[in-house]
Amino acid sequence: MQRRGALFGMPGGSGSRKMAAGDIGELLVPHMPTIRVPRSGDRVYKNECAFSYDSPNSEGGLYVCMNTFLAFGREHVERHFRKTGQSVYMHLKRHVREKVRGASGGALPKRRNSKIFLDLDTDDDLNSDDYEYEDEAKLVIFPDHYEIALPNIEELPALVTIACDAVLSSKSPYRKQDPDTWENELPVSKYANNLTQLDNGVRIPPSGWKCARCDLRENLWLNLTDGSVLCGKWFFDSSGGNGHALEHYRDMGYPLAVKLGTITPDGADVYSFQEEEPVLDPHLAKHLAHFGIDMLHMHGTENGLRDNDMKPRVSEWEVIQESGTKLKPMYGPGYTGLKNLGNSCYLSSVMQAIFSIPEFQRAYVGNLPRIFDYSPLDPTQDFNTQMTKLGHGLLSGQYSKPPVKSELIEQVMKEEHKPQQNGISPRMFKAFVSKSHPEFSSNRQQDAQEFFLHLVNLVERNRIGSENPSDVFRFLVEERIQCCQTRKVRYTERVDYLMQLPVAMEAATNKDELIAYELTRREAEANRRPLPELVRAKIPFSACLQAFSEPENVDDFWSSALQAKSAGVKTSRFASFPEYLVVQIKKFTFGLDWVPKKFDVSIDMPDLLDISHLRARGLQPGEEELPDISPPIVIPDDSKDRLMNQLIDPSDIDESSVMQLAEMGFPLEACRKAVYFTGNMGAEVAFNWIIVHMEEPDFAEPLTMPGYGGAASAGASVFGATGLDNQPPEEIVAIITSMGFQRNQAIQALRATNHNLERALDWIFSHPEFEEDSDFVIEMENNANANIISEAKPEGPRVKDGSGMYELFAFISHMGTSTMSGHYVCHIKKEGRWVIYNDHKVCASERPPKDLGYMYFYRRIPS
């Protein structure tokens, strides 16, 4: 048994004494009630700290609480001990050492390493010829930091031994445990290891695929036994087909097939006909190589024929990733990459851009001590904690350190001068922000723009102070609709967070070249010849900006003058300019067959952007406004009585219906009101309410109901998350004070836990040393007074208006045919030069492809 010195490298560790079995048992007796055996459904975090990206590979190892099974790095374990009083932790450490060399200088023969027993989600190459790994586990008892080496069956009580074994053998908390978990783990096919592959000389070309039994060129599957290419049916990915791949299996019995067009260096979609489910093939690269397919140089696409036939797609990947250029790796604060978890590049690109903005840095990383100190008992389930953790991981430089000189010399000697950048894994962050979301919780590729809005929504719902960092994106749009019959107009305002810029294809400057390419392509495809090099349309930015401001026809506009629906013409302008302008290029659309596709265009996006001419002008002289008469609400007959007789409490608003509407792109507050005023009758009825009321001036304003504490209270009830600038509901404060706690203590606990009663009580019990934080209380009271004032005089939407002059500082690019496939990277201008963030790789950019971006981030230039 050892004391603190051995654990933290302090003097005195070597002189510790070994205690008898009875002494160990006596030492553990006071802590036995707090030691638990993990039950089914318990998440055991033994790979990553809840507050940082420390792991068993880190210098200080990882501490797993034997009661909550949360993990903490050396820097944060003391915080958890002080907050909870939990004393017993399992310390996990993976040691990495260079392998002992033989007499000839080579590594000794490989043998099974029995010293590795931790099931960790790490990048360690456990079969490396250069290094060997050894795992170590011990119990540590706080506050004296006594250590008990494991395993220790003879000396430990049986319960403790069982609990330790259960923790050590537990699987990753992100593996599939129930249908709601975000990570879908596929089983390994039982046919993969001994799959028979016929030596029939079949080689699969990189283009021109077609079903061997029909003329289909989409949803094609390659049988991994005989190389047959056949169409699928309504299995696995719900794509259409004639089922010839399944018929072939029934005829021949060949079990495994891979979907063409999904093959990437990371894997592919594999289906087992015999097992009747999607599976993993750990030998997929070898099985594909049998038919001449080099998996390591493939890029997945939705439509194999078009994407692999057109060199253009490869060109797009090369240009955006700056392939073929020797890029210099960047290290230090702000230059930390994010590991790809499997189609998580959309998240990584957005978060890199977000945390390059000072307001987000200050809101989270700048408030790190307070956010971590007031985090709930389970910080893995708190948005602000996980945002702060991610921001600190990206900005601190702690996880982006250059290789030491000796490592560089060794790499040069081995002719392997490839500086390694490991980056940090956003696994815990992704698990939280994507939970309960049907798309982001999957392992499929997603739209970066949709995730950006989803993140803004989460920031709005989890404000941590009087300043909301997402306000930097917030602006007002003035919409002017003119009735085509009466010529009268209506002006309304709505809140938005990004500018969607249409692609003006008709303004392409190389139309002749595009026409010639299309004729050549069709001829080559008809004659089964290689397709020509793709010609990318060149679109002037000015044409796209003009298309943005052009009038739009509205067919079902409610004309209050006619008291009926009428045709109208709508134009949109900026009623305010945001501090940071996010511009999305609307590259994605649907073809006539409803297959998603992307415009392959080059737009000369400016470094300096002036949109001052798009400032709204309001009602003009000579214009006549439409009367302010709302149309009737149509409610199903069977729901009228329910709606008239039951006014729902704002706390009972159906959150799932709210989120369904919000994901359609409607403002969150409008969705809340729609669900409330239609009596929780479902998203469809609420949608009708939105269509009817979306032109009203207060459409996007918060729900305010007399008797329910105003907008802040309603918002808090719906989502269980409010900012520190909102007074907790008095009824919840009264419940806590009735238990004998101080009022200020109750308010501070509620504010620290987003007004959640159960978590607030946990917070109080975990802070027995509570002392009033005067600054905290003053801020709280000031905000409470501000809320009272705002009830008397409602304020408009939070905007930071200013000039319409901007400069480009970041952009996100997409490679692939649609948002459902491909890859994202991010370029950010830092310290006067462009930097490319490509998952875990962060390098100085040599040729930033600003004309091929998908989302552009501009900052306002002070006037």
Side-chain angles (χ1 to χ4, degrees):
M1 180 166 298
Q2 300 172 319
R3 279 187 173 267
R4 182 188 182 104
L7 186 61
F8 288 90
M10 297 171 58
S14 59
S16 59
R17 61 187 178 88
K18 182 170 179 62
M19 299 180 66
D23 294 332
I24 292 179
E26 183 178 343
L27 185 65
L28 286 170
V29 165
H31 309 293
M32 291 295 289
T34 67
I35 298 176
R36 292 200 304 119
V37 178
R39 299 187 298 267
S40 175
D42 281 339
R43 290 175 174 262
V44 180
Y45 296 89
K46 59 181 184 180
N47 300 319
E48 179 184 343
C49 171
F51 293 107
S52 71
Y53 292 91
D54 287 350
S55 71
N57 287 325
S58 302
E59 181 180 355
L62 202 63
Y63 296 81
V64 180
C65 174
M66 294 301 292
N67 180 269
T68 64
F69 310 117
L70 296 168
F72 306 93
R74 176 190 292 179
E75 183 182 354
H76 301 285
V77 64
E78 293 276 3
R79 174 187 286 107
H80 186 256
F81 164 67
R82 291 193 305 268
K83 176 181 285 191
T84 65
Q86 299 296 335
S87 300
V88 183
Y89 296 81
M90 180 182 290
H91 181 247
L92 303 176
K93 182 74 176 80
R94 172 163 288 177
H95 300 278
V96 183
R97 304 181 181 90
E98 284 195 57
K99 284 189 175 179
V100 178
R101 300 286 168 175
S104 61
L108 293 175
K110 293 182 181 180
R111 60 180 182 274
R112 186 175 183 274
N113 191 347
S114 60
K115 298 180 180 180
I116 298 175
F117 54 81
L118 296 177
D119 178 21
L120 304 180
D121 296 331
T122 67
D123 296 327
D124 293 338
D125 180 6
L126 301 181
N127 296 314
S128 170
D129 290 331
D130 300 316
Y131 298 95
E132 61 182 2
Y133 300 85
E134 180 179 350
D135 293 338
E136 178 186 18
K138 62 183 75 169
L139 286 181
V140 180
I141 303 175
F142 284 69
D144 295 320
H145 296 272
Y146 283 110
E147 294 183 13
I148 304 173
L150 297 175
N152 197 337
I153 300 176
E154 297 179 356
E155 299 179 314
L156 290 177
L159 174 64
V160 178
T161 300
I162 294 172
C164 291
D165 288 344
V167 169
L168 289 172
S169 61
S170 63
K171 300 298 183 182
S172 166
Y174 305 110
R175 294 189 179 177
K176 189 175 181 181
Q177 297 175 351
D178 54 68
D180 294 328
T181 48
W182 70 270
E183 186 171 359
N184 184 18
E185 293 278 338
L186 297 178
V188 175
S189 173
K190 63 183 179 180
Y191 300 100
N193 288 336
N194 301 304
L195 182 69
T196 299
Q197 292 192 283
L198 303 183
D199 190 12
N200 53 11
V202 172
R203 291 293 181 268
I204 304 300
S207 62
W209 307 323
K210 191 182 76 167
C211 176
R213 299 189 184 182
C214 66
D215 292 329
L216 284 181
R217 295 176 179 269
E218 295 180 351
N219 189 25
L220 299 177
W221 294 77
L222 168 67
N223 190 286
L224 290 176
T225 294
D226 64 357
S228 298
V229 176
L230 300 153
C231 63
K233 204 177 180 182
W234 294 99
F235 63 90
F236 186 31
D237 67 347
S238 300
S239 297
N242 296 318
H244 289 139
L246 180 59
E247 289 182 10
H248 184 68
Y249 159 71
R250 290 170 177 167
D251 294 340
M252 309 302 297
Y254 301 150
L256 299 182
V258 61
K259 186 177 181 181
L260 294 173
T262 68
I263 303 170
T264 72
D266 298 319
D269 294 345
V270 181
Y271 189 85
S272 172
F273 298 105
Q274 178 64 37
E275 295 159 290
E276 297 184 340
E277 64 177 338
V279 295
L280 294 177
D281 178 1
H283 309 292
L284 183 59
K286 183 184 75 171
H287 294 156
L288 291 173
H290 182 81
F291 300 109
I293 299 176
D294 185 355
M295 170 177 172
L296 298 180
H297 292 86
M298 294 290 290
H299 296 300
T301 64
E302 286 300 303
N303 183 327
L305 168 68
R306 297 186 182 276
D307 247 19
N308 285 284
D309 275 355
M310 296 181 180
K311 289 183 181 179
R313 290 296 171 208
V314 176
S315 174
E316 181 184 51
W317 286 68
E318 291 175 346
V319 173
I320 291 177
Q321 296 186 104
E322 302 188 52
S323 302
T325 304
K326 188 175 182 180
L327 301 179
K328 178 185 177 182
M330 303 287 285
Y331 300 95
Y335 298 107
T336 303
L338 289 166
K339 297 177 183 177
N340 196 320
L341 307 176
N343 289 329
S344 64
C345 51
Y346 68 91
L347 177 148
S348 299
S349 297
V350 170
M351 298 315 299
Q352 292 285 8
I354 287 293
F355 276 113
S356 69
I357 297 175
E359 283 77 3
F360 279 86
Q361 296 173 4
R362 290 196 297 267
Y364 295 103
V365 182
N367 284 319
L368 183 147
R370 173 174 289 188
I371 293 174
F372 281 1
D373 286 341
Y374 292 118
S375 66
L377 292 182
D378 186 356
T380 68
Q381 300 303 304
D382 181 67
F383 175 75
N384 293 323
T385 301
Q386 293 308 309
M387 276 287 283
T388 304
K389 169 184 170 178
L390 181 64
H392 179 264
L394 294 176
L395 300 174
S396 66
Q398 185 176 340
Y399 306 98
S400 178
K401 298 178 180 179
V404 296
K405 187 175 181 180
S406 59
E407 293 176 350
L408 289 174
I409 294 175
E410 184 179 355
Q411 290 170 359
V412 172
M413 294 296 292
K414 294 181 178 179
E415 298 181 351
E416 295 177 353
H417 185 53
K418 298 178 181 178
Q420 296 298 310
Q421 294 177 298
N422 294 324
I424 57 178
S425 171
R427 191 180 299 272
M428 189 177 292
F429 178 79
K430 183 179 187 297
F432 179 79
V433 300
S434 63
K435 68 178 182 180
S436 302
H437 192 287
E439 291 301 323
F440 299 135
S441 60
S442 73
N443 262 354
R444 297 185 294 273
Q445 186 62 278
Q446 303 298 331
D447 189 343
Q449 175 259 348
E450 291 182 3
F451 180 75
F452 168 77
L453 292 178
H454 176 67
L455 182 75
V456 168
N457 193 354
L458 290 173
V459 173
E460 289 276 356
R461 287 157 46 188
N462 294 275
R463 294 172 62 187
I464 56 176
S466 56
E467 288 294 321
N468 182 348
S470 66
D471 284 351
V472 299
F473 302 124
R474 190 180 178 101
F475 61 92
L476 293 177
V477 177
E478 178 194 83
E479 290 188 344
R480 174 188 182 274
I481 299 183
Q482 184 175 38
C483 176
C484 292
Q485 294 189 46
T486 66
R487 313 306 296 175
K488 296 181 180 181
V489 297
R490 170 173 295 152
Y491 284 88
T492 58
E493 289 185 349
R494 61 176 174 83
V495 174
D496 213 331
Y497 292 91
L498 58 81
M499 177 185 187
Q500 293 184 308
L501 207 61
V503 176
M505 291 296 294
E506 68 282 356
T509 59
N510 56 339
K511 290 182 180 178
D512 293 341
E513 194 178 3
L514 291 170
I515 294 172
Y517 161 76
E518 182 62 20
L519 293 174
T520 305
R521 185 194 66 78
R522 292 181 181 181
E523 181 182 358
E525 193 174 69
N527 296 302
R528 308 285 295 168
R529 293 202 304 265
L531 295 184
E533 183 85 19
L534 176 73
V535 176
R536 184 173 286 118
K538 297 178 181 179
I539 313 294
F541 170 76
S542 58
C544 298
L545 198 59
Q546 182 178 349
F548 170 81
S549 58
E550 287 181 352
E552 174 187 353
N553 293 326
V554 180
D555 295 330
D556 55 353
F557 163 64
W558 171 263
S559 175
S560 54
L562 300 173
Q563 285 292 291
K565 288 185 178 181
S566 172
V569 177
K570 181 174 72 173
T571 55
S572 300
R573 288 180 173 269
F574 286 86
S576 68
F577 292 126
E579 191 166 353
Y580 287 81
L581 178 65
V582 182
V583 179
Q584 176 206 8
I585 306 299
K586 299 174 68 174
K587 290 186 174 184
F588 299 102
T589 183
F590 287 91
L592 297 176
D593 52 1
W594 285 91
V595 174
K597 60 173 60 176
K598 184 173 86 172
F599 294 125
D600 206 316
V601 296
S602 169
I603 301 177
D604 58 336
M605 296 296 292
D607 288 311
L608 298 178
L609 173 63
D610 184 3
I611 56 172
S612 302
H613 63 287
L614 295 178
R615 169 77 75 172
R617 297 188 296 266
L619 187 67
Q620 297 296 297
E623 291 183 335
E624 184 179 355
E625 283 192 281
L626 286 161
D628 187 14
I629 302 175
S630 300
I633 301 176
V634 180
I635 301 175
D637 292 337
D638 59 352
S639 301
K640 287 182 179 178
D641 292 339
R642 174 185 167 196
L643 180 60
M644 296 302 294
N645 298 327
Q646 180 182 350
L647 181 64
I648 64 171
D649 189 307
S651 62
D652 295 329
I653 290 179
D654 181 8
E655 182 178 347
S656 61
S657 295
V658 173
M659 293 311 301
Q660 286 183 54
L661 297 170
E663 294 302 333
M664 295 179 189
F666 297 114
L668 183 62
E669 296 296 346
C671 299
R672 293 175 184 169
K673 291 195 293 188
V675 175
Y676 177 86
F677 287 119
T678 55
N680 274 349
M681 291 185 294
E684 185 175 354
V685 176
F687 175 80
N688 293 332
W689 187 95
I690 285 178
I691 297 301
V692 169
H693 292 81
M694 64 190 305
E695 297 167 9
E696 297 176 359
D698 62 346
F699 174 68
E701 292 304 299
L703 169 66
T704 303
M705 292 301 300
Y708 288 118
S713 177
S717 301
V718 175
F719 292 101
T722 62
L724 291 177
D725 58 333
N726 291 322
Q727 184 77 352
E730 278 300 323
E731 58 269 27
I732 303 181
V733 175
I735 293 174
I736 297 178
T737 55
S738 68
M739 300 179 184
F741 298 107
Q742 303 173 32
R743 174 178 173 81
N744 286 341
Q745 189 178 18
I747 293 176
Q748 187 164 349
L750 286 168
R751 306 215 32 169
T753 57
N754 292 330
H755 300 184
N756 183 292
L757 176 60
E758 183 179 356
R759 287 169 53 197
L761 292 173
D762 286 341
W763 187 94
I764 291 175
F765 287 119
S766 64
H767 290 73
E769 74 289 353
F770 169 78
E771 295 181 3
E772 290 189 6
D773 183 334
S774 58
D775 293 337
F776 193 95
V777 174
I778 290 173
E779 177 191 2
M780 181 174 58
E781 295 299 335
N782 289 341
N783 287 322
N785 294 333
N787 286 340
I788 295 173
I789 294 173
S790 68
E791 289 180 5
K793 183 179 180 181
E795 296 181 359
R798 306 180 312 274
V799 295
K800 298 186 177 183
D801 197 7
S803 74
M805 292 290 296
Y806 295 89
E807 64 175 337
L808 181 68
F809 73 93
F811 62 94
I812 295 173
S813 306
H814 174 269
M815 296 153 279
T817 53
S818 77
T819 56
M820 299 162 57
S821 64
H823 182 58
Y824 288 95
V825 300
C826 181
H827 285 75
I828 303 176
K829 195 173 187 179
K830 292 190 175 183
E831 300 176 310
R833 70 174 304 167
W834 285 97
V835 180
I836 179 173
Y837 293 79
N838 189 353
D839 290 336
H840 64 281
K841 294 177 289 186
V842 181
C843 300
S845 173
E846 297 295 334
R847 295 192 296 268
K850 289 181 284 187
D851 60 323
L852 299 180
Y854 173 49
M855 294 178 66
Y856 293 85
F857 293 77
Y858 286 87
R859 68 166 61 91
R860 185 162 58 207
I861 301 175
S863 56

